[in-house]
Amino acid sequence: MLNKTSIHYLINYALQKLLSSGVTDSPKIDAEILMAKAIKKNRSYLYTWPEKQLSTNEINEFRFLLSSRLIGKPIAYILGKKEFWGLEFKVNESTLIPRPDTEIVVDKAIELAKKIQQNNTLDKVKVLDLGTGSGAIICSIKHELKNIDAFAIEVDKVAIKIAKINAQNLSLDINFIKSNWFNELKPSSHLFNLIVANPPYIEEQDQHLKQGDLKFEPISALASGKDGLRDITHICQQASKFLVNNGWLLIEHGYNQAHKVKELMQQNDFGKIETIKDHGGNDRATLGNLMYAKNKTK
Ligand code: GLN
């Protein structure tokens, strides 16, 4: 007789629901992840004990998780965590879910910080992550390069709490500053060697914002004015005040924004401008070197 309380049966039940809902490209994996979470076991347990019967509480929990997924809630939010750079990050609806493509930004930041370190034998390299969200970028950089001075700015009070927890869980010493971009910083007291940012950069009318995971993510971390460039423009205009001479600015942006970001950097005293591509071969981030800082004496 069919056992309707078994792991195997319930996973299949969820699989059918997820398949017909169309909310996910990976219904089987999702069903298994939800089951593993509901019964607090890892996924391999599900294959070892497919006939195991669940308690009423476990079934209720599973149904609750499944219903969240069926309305499109991202797996990362359901689990409250996401892996990035081989590290585990706590996330919630106040933080963007770290994307694999952002790892190329981390890669580049580490390369730049190392280069700066070699040329600056005396001082500690100061790195700022602007709009850190869950803290994924700065934690990954600091995890790799323990001897940098790491700073992170975030405006959202829930997000900054999450970022602090992530830094703490990873035993990383990072200075967090609650601020709307550079507003709370004094140029005289904060000069960085490298500023890195994954700001919002999607056009506010973009239909993708209403679809998939994006629908559940904080709009303030995604959309940025009519052309998606409002915040990037602001950052390019302000960054030179907070960079040492020859400091670097590295910004993630949309696949079609490289040209515009390059122009913005050029207009704001940056040179040696370079665009790097993501895992899918799309333009994804642009970096520039501050040639001459406006705030400094000639
Ligand atoms: N790359 C993300 C996406 O397109 C957007 C991230 C962002 O706006 N910073 O889903």
Side-chain angles (χ1 to χ4, degrees):
M1 208 189 79
L2 207 55
N3 183 348
K4 292 190 172 186
T5 62
S6 75
I7 287 177
H8 176 73
Y9 177 86
L10 287 163
I11 287 180
N12 251 320
Y13 168 83
L15 175 61
Q16 297 315 316
K17 291 270 183 194
L18 287 165
L19 268 173
S20 51
S21 74
V23 294
T24 171
D25 296 333
S26 51
K28 186 154 190 288
I29 295 172
D30 287 14
E32 290 174 5
I33 289 174
L34 299 176
M35 175 57 78
K37 168 134 176 107
I39 63 171
K40 301 187 178 74
K41 298 276 194 267
N42 56 34
R43 270 169 68 206
S44 61
Y45 182 94
L46 314 176
Y47 288 95
T48 320
W49 306 103
E51 298 307 327
K52 181 168 187 304
Q53 292 179 38
L54 267 53
S55 69
T56 310
N57 278 348
E58 287 171 330
I59 293 173
N60 287 343
E61 176 67 9
F62 181 64
R63 284 182 178 277
F64 169 73
L65 297 174
L66 177 61
S67 63
S68 304
R69 188 64 189 125
L70 286 170
I71 59 162
K73 189 166 176 175
I75 285 287
Y77 289 155
I78 294 175
L79 298 181
K81 62 184 181 182
K82 174 78 183 175
E83 193 190 298
F84 177 85
W85 197 261
L87 305 171
E88 188 179 297
F89 289 93
K90 190 176 163 69
V91 294
N92 71 11
E93 277 89 341
S94 295
T95 71
L96 207 67
I97 300 165
R99 308 282 200 272
D101 282 332
T102 300
E103 292 182 346
I104 62 118
V105 176
V106 172
D107 256 331
K108 195 47 138 184
I110 290 170
E111 183 192 315
L112 285 172
K114 278 185 180 163
K115 205 155 66 176
I116 298 165
Q117 217 158 24
Q118 283 160 9
N119 302 338
N120 274 306
T121 40
L122 288 177
D123 288 343
K124 260 191 165 183
V125 176
K126 283 175 87 167
V127 180
L128 169 67
D129 178 11
L130 198 52
T132 198
S134 66
I137 293 179
I138 194 68
C139 288
S140 304
I141 299 171
K142 179 74 179 173
H143 190 264
E144 210 73 17
L145 302 174
K146 292 276 162 32
N147 56 348
I148 61 162
D149 240 349
F151 293 80
I153 282 179
E154 174 56 46
V155 69
D156 185 274
K157 65 174 190 297
V158 180
I160 199 166
K161 246 187 226 168
I162 300 285
K164 284 179 183 173
I165 294 171
N166 282 324
Q168 201 173 11
N169 287 347
L170 294 163
S171 307
L172 300 171
D173 182 15
I174 296 168
N175 304 289
F176 288 95
I177 303 164
K178 188 175 175 304
S179 172
N180 185 8
W181 300 131
F182 296 106
N183 285 1
E184 304 302 319
L185 293 189
K186 288 196 193 71
S188 49
S189 53
H190 284 101
L191 283 179
F192 300 96
N193 300 94
L194 167 63
I195 297 175
V196 53
N198 175 15
Y201 54 71
I202 299 177
E203 295 170 20
E204 62 192 6
Q205 295 305 327
D206 192 320
Q207 290 310 303
H208 292 103
L209 291 169
K210 300 196 184 84
Q211 297 162 11
D213 284 6
L214 268 63
K215 200 169 77 181
F216 287 80
E217 293 183 282
I219 191 78
S220 60
L222 292 168
S224 186
K226 213 164 160 256
D227 59 0
L229 288 162
R230 189 192 58 210
D231 292 283
I232 290 183
T233 305
H234 177 77
I235 293 167
C236 287
Q237 287 168 349
Q238 296 296 312
S240 68
K241 293 188 211 153
F242 301 93
L243 281 169
V244 299
N245 259 323
N246 288 315
W248 289 89
L249 176 61
L250 168 59
I251 304 183
E252 179 172 326
H253 54 69
Y255 70 95
N256 56 356
Q257 293 172 333
H259 181 72
K260 195 71 213 195
V261 177
K262 181 178 179 184
E263 237 173 57
L264 283 165
M265 285 193 181
Q266 278 166 342
Q267 288 161 6
N268 289 286
D269 303 318
F270 290 92
K272 296 185 193 165
I273 298 166
E274 190 192 324
T275 293
I276 52 177
K277 291 188 188 296
D278 63 21
H279 301 309
N282 294 309
D283 287 342
R284 183 57 59 202
T286 293
L287 56 144
N289 186 225
L290 183 63
M291 294 305 196
Y292 164 65
K294 283 176 188 149
N295 63 313
K296 288 176 207 105
T297 46
K298 291 179 193 176

